[in-house]
Amino acid sequence: MSNTIRNLFAAVMTAILSVTLFDAVYHVSSMITPGVSNIYNALGTQIAPNMVTAVIFDFRGYDTLGESIILLTAGLVVLLVFGRGRLGGKP
């Protein structure tokens, strides 16, 4: 990767870390109503046969989002750590 891409990636990761730390200190997330829960609360009783499955669908969505973010972050870290090697065996 070129230095421009690495600098851009570092800036994005720094911004994400800054937002996370700001939220942890000032508890901004408690003031925000998540839109996904509102959609599930409005449509969940029509889609799911009972309230238990509506709640499970809601938490599974957040769980899947978290897993995909973890996998994306792990892949990007591996690329950053091992991306400096040269192909073809040239020193």
Side-chain angles (χ1 to χ4, degrees), residues 7-21:
N7 290 340
L8 179 65
F9 179 72
V12 168
M13 286 295 123
T14 303
I16 290 172
L17 178 67
S18 301
V19 168
T20 305
L21 289 176

Side-chain angles (χ1 to χ4, degrees), residues 2-91:
S2 68
N3 285 335
T4 306
I5 295 174
R6 286 185 186 196
N7 290 340
L8 179 65
F9 179 72
V12 168
M13 286 295 123
T14 303
I16 290 172
L17 178 67
S18 301
V19 168
T20 305
L21 289 176
F22 182 79
D23 179 49
V25 171
Y26 294 108
H27 305 291
V28 177
S29 62
S30 64
M31 296 180 243
I32 299 172
T33 304
V36 175
S37 293
N38 291 338
I39 293 171
Y40 278 128
N41 289 336
L43 299 176
T45 55
Q46 297 173 0
I47 297 171
N50 56 30
M51 230 24 222
V52 174
T53 47
V55 169
I56 289 173
F57 285 151
D58 191 23
F59 285 120
R60 285 186 69 194
Y62 287 126
D63 183 46
T64 304
L65 177 66
E67 289 172 358
S68 62
I69 289 173
I70 289 170
L71 287 173
L72 176 69
T73 305
L76 290 174
V77 167
V78 167
L79 285 175
L80 282 174
V81 169
F82 294 112
R84 295 184 180 210
R86 296 181 180 261
L87 296 175
K90 295 179 182 177

